[in-house]
Structure formats: C-alpha cells, structure tokens
Amino acid sequence: MSGSGEMTGEKSGQAPELHHQHRDVSGGWLRPAVFGAMDGLVSNFALIAGIAGGRQDPKVVLLAGLAGLAAGAFSMAAGEYISVASQSELALAEIEIERLELARHPAAEQRELAAVFEARGVDAETAAEVARQLSRDPEEALEVHSKEELGVSPRDLPSPLLAAGSSFLSFAVGALLPVLPYLLGASTLWPAAAVAALGLFAAGALVSRVTTRAWWFGGARQLLFGAAAAGITYAVGALIGTTGL
C-alpha cells in the first residue's frame, strides 16, 4: 500500500512528492559530547573503583572522584579545543591556497573543475558549461573547489569553542554520576556501581538512537566495557591495598 504522500500525488495526477531528512553525520557537537560523556563515566567510575578497591575511606574516594571530574573535564575541553582549532587552521590555510590559485589561474582552475565533473560521468560539454557558470562567482567557485579537493566547506568548519564546551559539560555530567552516591552519604562502592551501570547502559542505548544498532545492544556493549574497566582498576586497587605498596 502506498504512503499518503504518494496517494495524494496519484489522485491529483501530479508526480508524487518525496520528502526525507538526513541526520547530521558531520560530527559537530555530537561526537565530542558523546565521547565526553562516555569517557567521563567510564574513567571516573574506574578511578573510584580503584580507590575503593584499596580499602580507602569513603571521603578519600569522594575526593578522588571530584578531582577526577575536574581534571578530566578541563583536560577533555582543552584537548578538544586544540584538536579542532588545529584542524580548522589547517583547512583555512589550504582554502587560502585554493583562493589564490583561483585568482591567479582562473582558466586552469575552471578546466580542473570541469575534469572533476567529467570523472563523475558528466559529458565534456556539459561539464565545461557547469564549471564555467560556477566560476563566475569567486566565492561559489571556492566553495566547490574546496569541497571537491579538500573535502571541507569554508562556510561550515567546526567550531573549537563548541567542541570544547560540549566535551567539558558532557564529561562533567558523565563523571558526576558515580560520585553522586558518595555525595549523598554512601560509604561503599555498590551504590556508585549501580548508578554507573544504569548510566552506562542508558548512554549506550541513547547513542544507538543515532546509529543502526538496537538500543539493547548499544547499552549492553557500553555496560560491558565500563564494567571491565572498573573491574580491572578495582582489582589493581585491591592488590595494592593488600600488599601495602
């Protein structure tokens, strides 16, 4: 049975209108936010588990968790800012080279653009005409050349501040979850482990909403990796606490 949009087109005698939208796959805020939350939750839970495994006082565990939250959030933000800023600066430098080439050798750049269209199956005459029309506007020509040759758009470069802010906030939120039970008076690791487990599963399930994976698979996978990290650090902490190193 056809969809309502197709039926409407058939009844009116017009070609059916097809509408669809794509999700943002360019990265933007999503990658640093997701990575930051996962990293904050896993790393800080593992840190707390290691300290707790060493039979440390709950106040020491809480202090370690808060220190891990602060240090990790600032580290993530700084690293993300420098990474994205460096990437954008490199892209801008290459775009500037392309801008100079368009100004100095417009005919050669136009032929180069036509060759790109020909390589994609456009006939030579049409490719040359499209390249000619696009080259009339220097900014439009720069946009097309940048996308074709560099894979980036001068108008859509990632923001270092957005990436850093997303990383900082998401890491802090993730790292805060296993610390919350201690802030509320918990004296053992189990309440923190329960909260962290729920957070890990929920985060993995949430990420699956923007992928093709089933929610339960995404949640279980994240829970498994987080539990493994915490289990290893707990064992190391217990070993060190036992030997008195």
Side-chain angles (χ1 to χ4, degrees):
M1 183 174 178
S2 301
S4 59
E6 294 178 342
M7 293 179 64
T8 301
E10 291 173 359
K11 289 180 180 180
S12 63
Q14 298 175 351
E17 294 184 10
L18 301 179
H19 299 282
H20 68 277
Q21 293 181 333
H22 289 291
R23 291 170 290 187
D24 179 17
V25 297
S26 61
W29 61 270
L30 181 60
R31 184 190 65 83
V34 170
F35 179 70
M38 295 293 191
D39 190 27
L41 182 51
V42 173
S43 64
N44 218 33
F45 177 44
L47 173 63
I48 289 174
I51 300 297
R55 303 296 190 272
Q56 293 295 324
D57 185 273
K59 292 182 179 180
V60 176
V61 178
L62 174 59
L63 177 60
L66 292 176
L69 185 159
F74 280 107
S75 176
M76 280 287 295
E80 199 65 39
Y81 182 90
I82 293 173
S83 174
V84 174
S86 299
Q87 179 184 0
S88 296
E89 288 164 3
L90 174 61
L92 287 172
E94 293 300 313
I95 290 170
E96 188 59 30
I97 292 175
E98 191 63 35
R99 187 190 300 276
L100 292 174
E101 286 298 308
L102 285 168
R104 293 171 178 172
H105 310 290
E109 291 295 311
Q110 184 174 319
R111 289 193 298 269
E112 184 180 301
L113 188 57
V116 170
F117 294 137
E118 284 188 61
R120 294 190 174 187
V122 180
D123 65 83
E125 184 178 349
T126 303
E129 178 60 20
V130 172
R132 185 189 68 80
Q133 292 190 31
L134 287 173
S135 299
R136 290 184 299 191
D137 182 350
E139 291 304 315
E140 187 64 32
L142 179 62
E143 174 85 10
V144 177
H145 277 276
S146 297
K147 285 183 176 179
E148 293 296 334
E149 298 179 32
L150 304 175
V152 297
S153 169
R155 305 170 185 171
D156 194 28
L157 293 176
S159 167
L161 286 175
L162 178 61
S166 298
S167 293
F168 182 91
L169 292 176
S170 58
F171 186 98
V173 170
L176 180 63
L177 288 180
V179 178
L180 276 176
Y182 284 97
L183 286 172
L184 297 176
S187 58
T188 65
L189 181 64
W190 293 113
V195 172
L198 289 174
L200 287 166
F201 188 88
L206 180 62
V207 171
S208 71
R209 298 287 294 178
V210 294
T211 68
T212 58
R213 292 290 189 181
W215 64 270
W216 59 265
F217 178 87
R221 179 175 61 180
Q222 189 59 39
L223 176 58
L224 177 63
F225 286 133
I232 292 172
T233 54
Y234 182 89
V236 171
L239 178 63
I240 294 175
T242 300
T243 58
L245 297 178

